[in-house]
Amino acid sequence: MSGTFPTEPGYVEVRTRLKHFNLVTESVTGRTQVRNQGARKRYFTLVFPPMTKAEFEPIFEFVDAQDGP
């Protein structure tokens, strides 16, 4: 992670979500098998108060500098 996340303006809420990856197969006889892939992905959503473009710019630059999906 490059840089430091800006502390101003502060966010008002953090939402997290965890997604598990499973494979589900069903045989001709109707038997269902679920296999856990051992992988998971965590999603974060930050909620900010209303702000101007100038206030939002440091946050956008930090996210853009991460070069990730």
Side-chain angles (χ1 to χ4, degrees):
M1 184 177 292
S2 63
T4 304
F5 189 77
T7 57
E8 292 294 325
Y11 51 86
V12 294
E13 183 180 352
V14 178
R15 299 178 193 146
T16 62
R17 187 169 58 102
L18 187 62
K19 181 178 181 181
H20 296 274
F21 294 92
N22 298 317
L23 289 176
V24 180
T25 55
E26 186 175 340
S27 69
V28 177
T29 62
R31 179 174 175 250
T32 302
Q33 184 177 15
V34 179
R35 290 173 285 173
N36 187 322
Q37 294 297 302
R40 59 192 109 134
K41 192 173 194 179
R42 187 170 301 272
Y43 296 89
F44 291 93
T45 302
L46 296 177
V47 179
F48 289 91
M51 62 181 88
T52 65
K53 183 179 178 185
E55 291 171 323
F56 179 70
E57 197 65 32
I59 298 167
F60 178 79
E61 289 176 1
F62 171 80
V63 172
D64 189 46
Q66 302 314 303
D67 288 329

